[in-house]
């Protein structure tokens, strides 16, 4: 398909799509707002059906190919959404001519940099292509988590203590550019999110519970926060129905995310699952007393 006239005066939007439902929600929100987005499906990552949208496939490290798509489709804005499970091998990195002199630094960052460092580099590469990088929250603001308790169930005093401890751990972890999530059970940190991501961290907590390494009597909480230094245009903490299912399987009492800086996917289904399991979901605001849960 060729380039379509851009409905937005800022230029046509490209959605760089990784795995999960988020890119599809973003594409639908962009269309509802009058945009005609082109979806760049990351090879071996994007796993949803975008047949209803103008879409193309590109390798994760194929910056030259992506720049060609951007030029041919008249793209001026880019939003990055969805997960990326694997970083490209050096042989899969195809830089633009403009970035060729920076190739050693690009390779080093992709292979060894933390997630935030990598995303900062990718943003600069897109900006070097003449595009403005926008955040998911600018395209789909309804996905942002709100402050306070979102479910019928509210955290009790023990849960609030676990939330405070897990939030402190998540902020320290984020400062190291490692991950965004922490799980606290009975006042003790039992899991920190690493390269495996939130889902696998929760599966690990469930296994610890099954083997008796975590008390069966104490439930605990998952907290996901933005990294202190994080650019909010990329990789905002995200929760959805799968997060709640895994939290239930791990025996947790609830999930807390950063209000205004975290995304909630398929909110009605997620909250229905949480309410059925009597699990709480809440949005935290560090600038308010008791994180906005008072």
């Amino acid at each position: 398909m060729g380039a379509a006239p851009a409905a937005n005066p800022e230029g046509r939007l490209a959605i760089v799509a990784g795995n999960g439902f988020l890119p599809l929600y973003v594409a639908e929100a962009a269309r509802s707002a009058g945009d005609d987005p082109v979806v760049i499906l990351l090879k071996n990552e994007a796993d949803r059906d975008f047949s209803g949208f103008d879409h193309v496939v590109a390798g994760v490290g194929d910056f030259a190919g992506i720049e060609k798509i951007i030029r041919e489709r008249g793209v001026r804005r880019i939003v990055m959404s969805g997960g990326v499970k694997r970083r490209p091998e050096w042989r899969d990195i195809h830089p633009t001519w403009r970035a060729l002199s920076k190739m050693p630094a690009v390779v080093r960052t992709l292979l060894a940099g933390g997630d935030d460092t990598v995303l900062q580099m990718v943003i600069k590469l897109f900006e070097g292509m003449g595009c403005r990088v926008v955040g998911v929250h600018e395209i789909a603001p309804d996905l942002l988590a709100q402050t306070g308790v979102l479910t019928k169930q509210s955290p009790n005093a023990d849960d609030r203590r676990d939330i405070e401890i897990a939030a402190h751990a998540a902020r320290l972890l984020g400062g190291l550019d490692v991950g965004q999530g922490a799980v606290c059970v009975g006042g003790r940190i039992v899991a920190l999110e690493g390269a495996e991501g939130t889902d696998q961290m929760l599966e690990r907590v469930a296994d610890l519970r099954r083997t008796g390494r975590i008390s069966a009597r104490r439930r605990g909480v998952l907290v996901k926060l933005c990294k202190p230094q994080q650019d909010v245009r990329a990789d905002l903490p995200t929760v959805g129905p799968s997060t709640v299912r895994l939290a239930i399987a791990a025996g947790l009492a609830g999930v807390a995310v950063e209000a205004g800086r975290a995304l909630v996917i398929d909110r009605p289904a997620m909250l229905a699952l949480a309410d059925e399991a009597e699990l709480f979901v809440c949005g935290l605001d560090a600038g308010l007393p008791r994180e906005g849960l008072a």
Side-chain angles (χ1 to χ4, degrees):
M1 299 174 70
N8 191 298
E10 293 187 79
R12 196 175 185 195
L13 175 72
I15 299 168
V16 180
N19 56 66
F21 281 104
L22 180 58
L24 189 56
Y25 286 123
V26 174
E28 290 169 347
R31 176 174 282 171
S32 296
D35 270 305
D36 173 34
V38 54
V39 184
I40 302 174
L41 307 177
L42 295 180
K43 188 177 180 181
N44 299 322
E45 293 290 350
D47 53 5
R48 304 297 155 180
D49 181 9
F50 288 92
S51 57
F53 294 89
D54 182 12
H55 64 280
V56 290
V57 178
V60 174
D62 188 7
F63 299 109
I66 290 174
E67 183 177 44
K68 183 172 184 289
I69 293 165
I70 286 170
R71 186 173 62 252
E72 291 177 347
R73 297 300 207 280
V75 170
R76 291 294 177 268
R77 294 172 297 142
I78 288 180
V79 59
M80 296 183 285
S81 63
V84 176
K85 295 176 181 175
R86 299 176 185 83
R87 296 191 185 185
E89 299 290 338
W90 66 268
R91 64 179 67 85
D92 298 322
I93 300 172
H94 305 292
T96 63
W97 283 108
R98 195 178 298 104
L100 198 58
S101 63
K102 303 174 183 177
M103 184 67 172
V106 169
V107 172
R108 281 196 304 272
T109 300
L110 283 172
L111 297 182
D115 288 345
D116 193 63
T117 303
V118 170
L119 290 170
Q120 286 289 337
M121 180 203 69
V122 172
I123 287 172
K124 288 178 182 177
L125 288 172
F126 284 144
E127 288 174 340
M129 298 176 193
C131 294
R132 183 170 77 88
V133 178
V134 299
V136 166
H137 59 286
E138 297 178 65
I139 307 299
D142 291 347
L143 294 180
L144 284 173
Q146 300 163 315
T147 302
V149 180
L150 309 179
T151 46
K152 295 176 182 177
Q153 188 76 14
S154 295
N156 61 28
D158 288 340
D159 299 329
R160 289 172 186 269
R161 178 196 59 183
D162 284 345
I163 288 172
E164 182 180 353
I165 294 170
H168 180 62
R171 291 185 180 106
L172 291 175
L173 184 71
L176 296 173
D177 195 10
V178 175
Q180 300 170 323
V183 175
C184 180
V185 177
R188 178 169 68 106
I189 296 296
V190 299
L192 296 171
E193 181 187 2
E196 81 275 23
T198 304
D199 287 0
Q200 287 186 307
M201 176 183 66
L202 289 175
E203 289 172 356
R204 180 156 44 91
V205 173
D207 187 58
L208 289 170
R209 186 88 71 178
R210 281 191 297 270
T211 58
R213 298 294 299 275
I214 298 175
S215 169
R217 295 183 298 104
R218 300 178 182 274
R219 297 188 66 187
V221 300
L222 162 69
V223 173
K224 291 194 69 171
L225 305 176
C226 261
K227 298 172 184 175
Q229 75 284 0
Q230 184 165 339
D231 190 320
V232 296
R233 291 176 293 176
D235 195 31
L236 287 181
T238 303
V239 295
S242 65
T243 313
V244 168
R245 290 190 191 96
L246 290 167
I248 293 169
L252 300 182
V255 174
V257 296
E258 188 167 0
R261 301 216 307 166
L263 304 174
V264 179
I265 303 301
D266 200 354
R267 188 183 307 246
M270 186 193 77
L271 297 183
L273 279 170
D275 286 339
E276 183 180 357
E278 298 185 343
L279 180 144
F280 67 80
V281 178
C282 58
L284 306 178
D285 186 333
L288 296 176
R290 300 177 72 181
E291 300 264 10
L293 301 180

